[in-house]
Amino acid sequence: MQRLTRTLFFLALGCLLCEAANPCCSEPCQNRGVCTALGKDSYECDCTRTGYHGQNCTAPEFLTWVKITLKPSPNTVHYLLTHFKAFWNIINNISFLRDGIMRYVLTSRSHFIDSPPTYNVDYGYKSWEAYSNLSYYTRTLPPVSEDCPTPMGVAGKKQLPDAKLLAEKLLMRRQFIPDPQQTSLMFGFFAQHFTHQFFKTDTKRGPAFTLAKGHGVDLNHIYGDNLDRQNKLRLFKDGKLRHQVLNGEVYPPTVKDVGVHMHYPPHVSDSYRFAVGHEAFGLVPGLMMYATIWLREHNRVCDVLKEVHPDWDDERLFQTTRLILTGETIKIVIEDYVQHLSGYHFKLKFDPELLFNQRFQYQNRISSEFNTLYHWHPLMPDTFHIEEMEYNYKQFVFNTSVVTEHGISSLVESFSKQVAGRVAGGRNVPAPILHVAIKSIEESRKMRYQSLNAYRKRFSMKPYSSFEDMTGDKEMAALLEEMYGHVDAVELYPGLLIEKPRQDAIFGETMVEMGAPFSLKGLMGNPICSPEYWKPSTFGGSVGFDIVNTASLQRLVCNNVRGPCPVASFHVTDVKEPDSVIINSSTSHSGGSSINPTVILKERTTEL
């Protein structure tokens, strides 16, 4: 009743603000119902397959009523999964229970993502262009119509607050706020390195467009996003990538040696202009550190396959190794990266066979909202500690010499011990990169995103009823009210960073409940997870399949550094001696060294 009253209020308000307003501006259709305007005065809601009926799709069908009555809130589920460790330890050791819960996690999350895709910035309705044009990011919610009375539809003021003022008052760091989950900088740098393969905004065409052709995990940040770049990075011998050896360890080749384009300022000498798959990875040492590790892993796996298949030619060794590294990446992301983010005592599992009998589509389109919510600028510290050295942003950016001077082992160890910042809760974006957050606000407005509350409803969360409900802080709530006028007018991106965090957590509720479906759908929608691909023969037989199925962050590092293996952890308090890792006898070791501080800069790394 309260939701219906609010809907009718804003519909009436819209009429007062602008007689010619689109009646769908007030978002009258609830529960994923689709609104179609019928002239200026009326509309209809399409409630097909929503589980609801009625004029505004607010009346639940019987089974829907049972489901929503029994279903716990997202915060309740989160509480259960992050407490009662002894209980979850039992569940984790009972295979059929663990598999059943993991299957539910995957399906329940993935079903939030429309597949095939539906909208983009230019088409707020279903069209062939929105479906087929891969140069667009897709959209989860259609953009706010340009003929609406306010930028958020009918709620709030007719003008949004100044982006710079908003960022300075509510996003900029006063004092470093550490993440209570003890997330390490190793995690932050992994986030940037991993997501750059599919968050590749076309800056010439604008924030609605992407340069990423694969819309998912295709490792173009390792191999290049086109055949010409890939060929320049390949050795064309034994399936390997080109490299150089410095002090007995393998590093990426230089731009001068391979002739690929990379973003470096003039002061960087030729010997430190390393060339890798992504042209912006020279920005910070962390990106180049991970690029070096994966380069070594590719060449190591080629040696493993060559030993088992001495008759294979260069092309087959290269292509099969790429599939193996794709599998390794997905397993590490689910079982190390997402596991840490979730804070769950339930142990996540990468097992594509869990979905083989489910309704699931093995395809993915990257959503612009997913791109936007991944601007985790607060993760970054004020300075970066490597061994006995401390680097500020000016010293760290475009300083690839850090990679070779410290070495991969030292960087991994150092950044596994340095805590990252808390993302939610506001006021934790470092001043040196605040301009990136400001630009994120400005680009979000070009995309005409709907409000934070609209996205909460889309992902089955209760909309915030007040600014204080959103922030848990009276001062920030007062500032937001002054800037926006109504809680239903708060923008998506600022809202995600200002939202109160969950107890002892890095994120707020909306970030997790929105981000998890995008992430899991993109990972499990990869072709290698399909029944036709997920078999040993795809990966060169049991040896390659075993590399995928035993992958972990710690193993990845240990297999690709010389000497004692450092602890590689996304969690600072996990610093302990690593479990012994069996390193394949045909491993080709190499060393490297660096880590990235601007993880949160996302794909627009050149802006630092």
Side-chain angles (χ1 to χ4, degrees):
M1 178 62 71
Q2 183 180 6
R3 185 179 295 179
L4 178 59
T5 301
R6 180 161 56 176
T7 297
L8 293 175
F9 168 77
F10 283 122
L11 181 60
L13 178 62
C15 293
L16 290 173
L17 289 172
C18 179
E19 292 184 2
N22 181 336
C24 291
C25 289
S26 62
E27 301 172 32
C29 305
Q30 303 298 301
N31 301 303
R32 299 182 68 172
V34 179
C35 183
T36 302
L38 303 175
K40 299 177 181 178
D41 303 318
S42 63
Y43 64 89
E44 66 178 13
C45 292
D46 184 352
C47 309
T48 304
R49 287 184 290 279
T50 62
Y52 292 82
H53 60 274
Q55 181 180 357
N56 291 334
C57 307
T58 54
E61 297 169 359
F62 177 73
L63 291 178
T64 302
W65 177 83
V66 171
K67 180 180 178 181
I68 60 177
T69 301
L70 297 177
K71 185 177 180 180
S73 70
N75 279 332
T76 300
V77 173
H78 180 79
Y79 179 85
L80 293 173
L81 288 166
T82 55
H83 292 74
F84 315 108
K85 186 174 182 179
F87 169 77
W88 289 112
N89 284 342
I90 295 172
I91 296 298
N92 292 333
N93 287 298
I94 302 175
S95 296
F96 78 93
L97 288 178
R98 182 187 176 197
D99 287 353
I101 294 172
M102 189 65 205
R103 183 181 296 108
Y104 175 76
V105 168
L106 292 172
T107 55
S108 62
R109 295 291 194 181
S110 297
H111 287 168
F112 275 114
I113 306 303
D114 292 327
S115 186
T118 48
Y119 312 110
N120 63 33
V121 72
D122 290 327
Y123 293 91
Y125 52 89
K126 294 183 180 71
S127 66
W128 189 259
E129 183 68 10
Y131 161 73
S132 63
N133 192 334
L134 298 180
S135 67
Y136 282 95
Y137 287 115
T138 188
R139 287 287 284 269
T140 303
L141 285 178
V144 175
S145 179
E146 292 179 318
D147 61 0
C148 288
T150 74
M152 290 293 112
V154 299
K157 301 182 177 182
K158 289 190 176 183
Q159 281 193 326
L160 292 169
D162 178 75
K164 184 173 183 291
L165 182 66
L166 172 63
E168 290 175 347
K169 286 195 171 186
L170 290 166
L171 302 185
M172 187 170 70
R173 177 177 293 162
R174 273 67 169 163
Q175 182 178 357
F176 177 70
I177 305 171
D179 168 37
Q181 280 183 229
Q182 294 294 291
T183 296
S184 73
L185 291 188
M186 192 71 177
F187 171 92
F189 305 142
F190 185 93
Q192 188 181 20
H193 180 268
F194 168 70
T195 59
H196 271 49
Q197 64 188 300
F198 44 80
F199 294 153
K200 299 184 73 173
T201 296
D202 187 340
T203 55
K204 292 182 179 179
R205 299 183 68 185
F209 296 91
T210 177
L211 296 170
K213 301 175 178 63
H215 281 268
V217 181
D218 62 4
L219 307 194
N220 69 76
H221 60 324
I222 299 174
Y223 301 107
D225 59 3
N226 60 73
L227 195 57
D228 178 66
R229 188 179 187 90
Q230 179 187 118
N231 288 341
K232 288 178 179 178
L233 293 171
R234 287 179 61 176
L235 185 62
F236 287 104
K237 180 180 180 183
D238 297 332
K240 293 186 176 183
L241 294 171
R242 296 181 69 175
H243 56 277
Q244 61 174 319
V245 178
L246 301 173
N247 300 319
E249 297 187 302
V250 167
Y251 289 93
T254 65
V255 170
K256 187 176 181 180
D257 288 338
V258 299
V260 301
H261 173 68
M262 294 288 293
H263 298 312
Y264 286 106
H267 71 268
V268 178
S269 66
D270 287 348
S271 60
Y272 287 114
R273 292 174 178 253
F274 296 135
V276 295
H278 196 294
E279 63 275 7
F281 275 14
L283 175 71
V284 283
L287 291 175
M288 198 57 70
M289 178 200 73
Y290 274 112
T292 301
I293 291 173
W294 284 112
L295 163 64
R296 297 174 181 180
E297 177 67 359
H298 176 94
N299 288 352
R300 183 190 78 85
V301 172
C302 284
D303 283 341
V304 174
L305 291 179
K306 175 83 172 173
E307 191 173 297
V308 178
H309 303 287
D311 56 320
W312 279 13
D313 61 12
D314 168 77
E315 186 67 18
R316 187 164 186 179
L317 288 168
F318 172 83
Q319 297 295 347
T320 304
T321 296
R322 181 170 183 168
L323 293 177
I324 291 172
L325 264 65
T326 303
E328 288 187 84
T329 297
I330 296 174
K331 185 174 174 65
I332 290 170
V333 170
I334 290 178
E335 295 192 3
D336 287 326
Y337 179 86
V338 177
Q339 180 74 59
H340 169 74
L341 270 186
S342 70
Y344 293 167
H345 293 310
F346 171 69
K347 206 169 181 181
L348 301 178
K349 181 180 182 181
F350 173 50
D351 183 0
E353 292 186 19
L354 294 174
L355 295 176
F356 284 179
N357 295 320
Q358 305 296 311
R359 181 173 65 87
F360 192 81
Q361 296 191 31
Y362 294 96
Q363 57 177 317
N364 188 60
R365 283 281 290 280
I366 295 297
S367 162
S368 64
E369 293 99 336
F370 188 34
N371 182 14
T372 295
L373 73 79
Y374 235 106
H375 286 65
W376 295 345
H377 310 88
L379 279 174
M380 288 297 99
D382 294 323
T383 58
F384 306 91
H385 305 280
I386 308 174
E387 296 184 287
E388 303 304 316
M389 299 289 291
E390 183 176 0
Y391 296 87
N392 61 30
Y393 282 81
K394 185 176 181 180
Q395 294 166 327
F396 209 72
V397 173
F398 288 117
N399 186 2
T400 52
S401 67
V402 171
V403 179
T404 53
E405 288 175 5
H406 288 283
I408 293 294
S409 291
S410 294
L411 288 172
V412 170
E413 182 176 16
S414 296
F415 286 102
S416 291
K417 291 180 179 179
Q418 185 172 357
V419 69
R422 189 184 70 188
V423 175
R427 293 176 174 166
N428 208 22
V429 176
I433 53 177
L434 186 68
H435 67 284
V436 186
I438 294 170
K439 186 168 184 180
S440 299
I441 296 171
E442 294 170 344
E443 292 190 339
S444 294
R445 293 174 180 179
K446 292 179 183 178
M447 301 289 283
R448 305 199 312 280
Y449 287 137
Q450 294 188 35
S451 68
L452 178 75
N453 265 347
Y455 282 97
R456 285 181 62 82
K457 290 188 285 185
R458 168 62 177 77
F459 286 88
S460 297
M461 289 172 277
K462 183 180 178 181
Y464 288 120
S465 58
S466 69
F467 292 106
E468 193 168 343
D469 181 32
M470 177 186 294
T471 64
D473 181 277
K474 290 185 178 180
E475 183 202 352
M476 285 198 291
L479 285 170
L480 281 171
E481 185 166 14
E482 180 185 339
M483 290 180 175
Y484 286 105
H486 197 282
V487 68
D488 283 345
V490 176
E491 299 168 87
L492 174 64
Y493 172 64
L496 288 167
L497 294 191
I498 297 168
E499 177 185 40
K500 61 180 181 285
R502 281 173 163 163
Q503 184 178 3
D504 298 323
I506 188 171
F507 295 133
E509 179 187 28
T510 314
M511 183 76 81
V512 175
E513 299 303 316
M514 274 188 69
F518 288 126
S519 179
L520 292 175
K521 176 62 173 70
L523 293 166
M524 300 306 296
N526 193 283
I528 72 160
C529 298
S530 67
E532 283 303 311
Y533 276 69
W534 188 251
K535 55 186 69 173
S537 57
T538 300
F539 306 97
S542 59
V543 171
F545 205 34
D546 184 62
I547 292 174
V548 173
N549 284 313
T550 59
S552 69
L553 177 69
Q554 187 67 69
R555 183 179 290 266
L556 176 67
V557 170
C558 289
N559 274 345
N560 292 288
V561 297
R562 291 193 308 176
C565 183
V567 171
S569 177
F570 293 147
H571 192 272
V572 169
T573 56
D574 281 345
V575 176
K576 59 184 180 180
E577 288 303 314
D579 296 331
S580 68
V581 176
I582 298 174
I583 300 176
N584 196 292
S585 60
S586 54
T587 295
S588 54
H589 292 299
S590 16
S593 75
S594 169
I595 248 188
N596 159 341
T598 343
V599 110
I600 335 299
L601 291 198
K602 272 197 28 57
E603 84 266 21
R604 281 176 286 282
T605 50
T606 54
E607 294 177 12
L608 260 189

